[in-house]
Amino acid sequence: MITRFAPSLTGYLHLGHVLHMLYVWGVARRFDARVLCRIEDHDRSRARPEYETAVFQTLEWLGFIPDLGIISADEKPSDFRQSDNAGYYQSVLEELQRRGLVYGCGCTRKQIAETQPDGAEELCYSGTCAEKGLPLEGHTVRFRTPAKETVFEDLKLGKQCQLPWLQCGDFSLRDRQGQWTYQFACVCDDIRHGVDLVIRGEDILFSTARQIQLFQTLEAAPPRHYHHPLIYDAAGTKLSKRQRSESITQLRESGIAPEAVIGRALREAGLSPTDTPVTAEQAIHKYII
Ligand code: GLU
């Protein structure tokens, strides 16, 4: 089996990512899967080269060694860096276009927000532009989401039932500036890289049915999924790179040992009562497998 560690390049990695690495490498061990590393820098407005360099430094410093994929920021171009593979995403999009499964949408976020019921958790697109025949270039490209529920068995959370067409409607594959979205680039890559086990945080659980629908539309077998718990901060919100959580790069530069960082991630996740320093290998055996 093949799983992947696929960080977005929206900031420096933080303690939540250390927990994620423990799950990826630990659950991979349990399933005898190899770990592929991929750089998800589809969001060109936020990606920065120093974030990419920091990903590889952090992995090496903490002792997480990928079996496949990209292992250095010097690999240019790489099949495992999304910004190097626009031609591939374009060819998949053209296939969907030939099959009439995508359309151009001219609605702004504000216009969509105005049509939402009070208290809606997520913007749900009602399909205003679905039959307008707008060109894909210069418009948001939307996928015609099938009106059906998707059921899957999560390896951690059990049976899940999601209805994307009611949660988000026809979701986007590319924005009006031509940037590929996470949902689309991630599925294209998981297919091309032969990923059959996806291990990721439970904050992305809602994306899974959308991705499964794309896999099925592209006639690829969807991977198995394992969604793990996250680290929440004192206010109960998840740690996020964008909220300027303390980065691993800062911790490393402050002289702290990698084992101490792993110990801290385990305690903050509630997996260990203390933040006793441990190596990645010890942590995986004691807390994840
Ligand atoms: N690039 C995504 C992130 O960093 C990966 C999500 C996934 O594993 O599918 O959140």
Side-chain angles (χ1 to χ4, degrees):
M1 292 181 90
I2 299 180
T3 188
R4 78 286 197 283
F5 175 68
S8 297
L9 286 195
T10 51
Y12 288 105
L13 302 184
H14 56 65
L15 224 46
H17 291 98
V18 178
L19 179 70
H20 177 55
M21 290 170 202
L22 288 167
Y23 275 108
V24 170
W25 268 265
V27 175
R29 187 80 56 84
R30 196 195 294 167
F31 286 90
D32 207 12
R34 287 175 296 162
V35 180
L36 175 149
C37 184
R38 174 165 83 219
I39 296 295
E40 299 212 326
D41 60 348
H42 56 90
D43 183 345
R44 304 306 301 142
S45 64
R46 288 208 294 248
R48 286 174 25 193
E50 56 270 35
Y51 296 154
E52 185 177 318
T53 305
V55 166
F56 299 115
Q57 281 170 342
T58 301
L59 285 174
E60 193 186 344
W61 184 66
L62 293 171
F64 294 100
I65 302 159
D67 304 297
L68 302 162
I70 181 166
I71 53 162
S72 154
D74 298 331
E75 287 177 40
K76 283 185 182 137
S78 167
D79 280 350
F80 305 94
R81 182 189 294 105
Q82 291 184 332
S83 60
D84 292 334
N85 291 284
Y88 166 62
Y89 308 131
Q90 180 67 31
S91 66
V92 180
L93 185 67
E94 282 167 14
E95 180 194 329
L96 294 175
Q97 187 178 17
R98 275 193 299 276
R99 293 167 56 194
L101 297 173
V102 292
Y103 60 89
C105 164
C107 298
T108 62
R109 203 182 155 76
K110 187 162 171 282
Q111 285 168 330
I112 300 169
E114 280 162 7
T115 66
Q116 303 298 302
D118 287 344
E121 272 180 41
E122 187 183 1
L123 293 187
C124 183
Y125 187 66
S126 62
T128 313
C129 294
E131 308 307 330
K132 286 187 182 164
L134 296 173
L136 301 191
E137 286 313 313
H139 290 100
T140 302
V141 178
R142 293 190 181 276
F143 173 63
R144 295 186 193 277
T145 313
K148 60 169 193 185
E149 64 180 21
T150 295
V151 178
F152 63 96
E153 189 71 26
D154 189 88
L155 293 164
K156 173 85 174 163
L157 303 173
K159 187 176 173 184
Q160 304 292 315
C161 176
Q162 298 177 357
L163 301 93
W165 100 97
L166 290 182
Q167 290 165 329
C168 60
D170 291 347
F171 55 92
S172 64
L173 307 186
R174 194 174 69 188
D175 70 16
R176 69 181 60 214
Q177 278 84 35
Q179 298 203 94
W180 305 103
T181 62
Y182 157 64
Q183 308 291 9
F184 186 58
C186 173
V187 170
C188 288
D189 282 343
D190 281 343
I191 293 173
R192 172 169 76 134
H193 296 152
V195 169
D196 49 10
L197 174 62
V198 168
I199 302 159
R200 61 186 172 204
E202 61 190 12
D203 55 330
I204 314 183
L205 183 62
F206 66 88
S207 286
T208 302
R210 301 168 204 186
Q211 297 183 3
I212 289 175
Q213 290 185 346
L214 284 175
F215 274 98
Q216 289 170 338
T217 303
L218 294 166
E219 283 153 23
R224 299 171 81 187
H225 291 88
Y226 182 110
H227 288 89
H228 63 75
L230 307 176
I231 295 178
Y232 295 95
D233 66 16
T237 44
K238 71 172 176 120
L239 290 184
S240 155
K241 293 181 284 243
R242 276 170 262 155
Q243 285 163 355
R244 302 163 84 209
S245 318
E246 197 172 31
S247 76
I248 306 306
T249 302
Q250 277 171 313
L251 291 172
R252 181 168 58 83
E253 287 169 356
S254 74
I256 189 171
E259 294 81 8
V261 171
I262 294 174
R264 213 159 119 183
L266 291 167
R267 182 183 51 78
E268 291 206 18
L271 289 173
S272 161
T274 63
D275 52 11
T276 312
V278 279
T279 63
E281 198 55 34
Q282 289 163 338
I284 283 171
H285 278 284
K286 187 152 182 208
Y287 299 102
I288 311 289
I289 295 189

